[in-house]
Amino acid sequence: MVKRFDPARLHELVKEVANLEFKKEDKFRILVDKIDAEYPGKLNTKNFTWIFNNANGAMGIMTLLYGSFSEYLIIFGSPIGTEGHSGRYFANVHDIMIDGEMWTYDEGTIDRKVFLPGDWAHLKFRKSKGYVIKENGWMLEYSSGCIPSMLPMGIWDNLFSNLDFRSLFQLFWIYGGMVIKNMFKLRF
């Protein structure tokens, strides 16, 4: 599997903007511009479409920056905070805090880990954890692995619980478009 993004480099880029004294929207724009300069032509840089995301008991909002069958890159967070179960995936998930706090605890432990702006949390392949994103917590999330195996977690609540078909449609429309575009880039 070819990885288009290096999580260590993404971490460095987030650290460059995490403590800037700007509004969140400006921090996000600066970060996306830095990532786009590092990985030209890979990101959706034209507009941020913020989509509600309900997954494993947590609700937040996200914007998709990149999507393929083997990777995704998003900005995810919540202005009011949320908590839930991470899920257990056939993928690695890297959460790099841009703003606010995230607390996690691993399976089999009773102590929390606290992640602040610029910190990097790694959910390894087939592991899981509990997490809390505190009020105004925002992260850059990069995942690599079998991304389609993660979709049930990302759509279940919208499909069967809160019936948010609009958010579900937006997710599939944007992510599906990115997957198709990136498939053609690899083939031709």
Side-chain angles (χ1 to χ4, degrees), residues 13 17 41 61 72 109 113-114 124 126 134 160 174 178:
L13 295 173
V17 302
I61 196 163
Y72 71 76
T109 66
K113 296 176 187 172
V114 177
K124 294 180 182 175
R126 297 301 296 148
K134 303 302 280 180
F160 295 109
I174 295 170
M178 289 178 175

Side-chain angles (χ1 to χ4, degrees), residues 99-117:
D99 209 1
E101 286 183 39
M102 178 175 65
W103 298 354
T104 69
Y105 60 99
D106 296 319
E107 186 175 32
T109 66
I110 58 172
D111 293 317
R112 73 177 178 208
K113 296 176 187 172
V114 177
F115 297 90
L116 301 172

Side-chain angles (χ1 to χ4, degrees), residues 1 4 18 23 33-34 46 74 111 117 159 165 185:
M1 172 178 66
R4 286 153 198 82
K23 296 187 308 185
D33 289 346
K34 284 180 176 288
K46 294 196 170 53
I74 64 173
D111 293 317
L159 192 58
F165 302 117
K185 278 186 178 180

Side-chain angles (χ1 to χ4, degrees), residues 68-86:
S68 72
F69 284 127
S70 60
E71 293 175 288
Y72 71 76
L73 186 66
I74 64 173
I75 295 174
F76 175 80
S78 172
I80 62 172
T82 191
E83 68 179 294
H85 184 278
S86 66

Side-chain angles (χ1 to χ4, degrees), residues 3-43:
K3 287 172 51 171
R4 286 153 198 82
F5 299 96
D6 174 14
R9 184 64 185 133
L10 293 172
H11 181 222
E12 291 171 10
L13 295 173
V14 170
K15 286 193 315 187
E16 291 176 15
V17 302
N19 292 312
L20 294 176
E21 295 297 323
F22 291 112
K23 296 187 308 185
K24 283 187 293 291
E25 296 84 0
D26 294 333
K27 276 186 177 182
F28 298 159
R29 175 55 51 204
I30 292 167
L31 176 60
V32 169
D33 289 346
K34 284 180 176 288
I35 297 169
D36 189 48
E38 185 79 19
Y39 302 98
K42 301 251 187 294
L43 301 185

